[in-house]
Amino acid sequence: MNVTIHASFLPHDDPEAALAFYRDTLGFEVRGDVGYEGMRWITVGPADQPGTSIVLHPPAADPGITDDERRTIVEMMAKGTYGGILLATADLDSTFERLQASIAEVVQEPTEQPYGIRDCAVRDPAGNLIRIQELR
């Protein structure tokens, strides 16, 4: 069996801010931008990794979600406790400099962790936690 991770999903609450962060700051290519009933699903990913994507989606767009669940999701996004993803780069310091100069909220500067990795953390414009680990 050969199973890969094809796409992960993160919510956005402002598609233009999400594009500015993932395309312009992180340098991801836009692979899809689909609108439906006033909402947008934007697929982005690293240019050299066409098989791996992040789908940025409207929060709580699933019709099976109740109004209470929808409110909880929006509240958790505002607190930055709803979504997150782990990325990796060979040059953590220059990546962090680009993030620091952007609209990203810095959560943690590059730090050598006691468990053997060096990483940093920011929040994207929707509040999703983006941890970036240095490749060694």
Side-chain angles (χ1 to χ4, degrees), residues 3-134:
V3 179
T4 63
I5 296 174
H6 180 66
S8 294
F9 287 76
L10 289 175
H12 73 73
D13 54 4
D14 180 338
E16 294 307 320
L19 275 172
F21 180 78
Y22 287 95
R23 180 192 58 205
D24 304 337
T25 301
L26 289 179
F28 286 175
E29 66 180 14
V30 177
R31 299 182 179 149
D33 191 339
V34 178
Y36 178 72
E37 295 187 354
M39 298 181 282
R40 284 171 66 186
W41 285 256
I42 304 166
T43 304
V44 297
D48 62 344
Q49 298 173 35
T52 303
S53 300
I54 299 172
V55 180
L56 306 165
H57 63 90
D62 186 327
I65 293 178
T66 67
D67 289 341
D68 284 344
E69 292 168 331
R70 189 168 285 113
R71 275 191 295 276
T72 298
I73 290 170
V74 170
E75 289 171 4
M76 290 179 73
M77 285 176 64
K79 290 173 49 180
T81 57
Y82 184 69
I85 195 163
L86 175 61
L87 304 176
T89 180
D91 189 350
L92 184 63
D93 292 319
S94 71
T95 301
F96 181 74
E97 285 178 23
R98 288 180 60 189
L99 290 164
Q100 201 170 24
S102 76
I103 57 177
E105 174 192 348
V106 174
V107 175
Q108 174 205 300
E109 294 188 4
T111 302
E112 193 70 43
Q113 301 292 351
Y115 39 88
I117 65 165
R118 184 168 182 262
D119 68 354
C120 69
V122 299
R123 294 197 192 283
D124 75 4
N128 298 303
L129 183 64
I130 312 297
R131 295 202 73 86
I132 303 177
Q133 181 176 332
E134 186 172 64

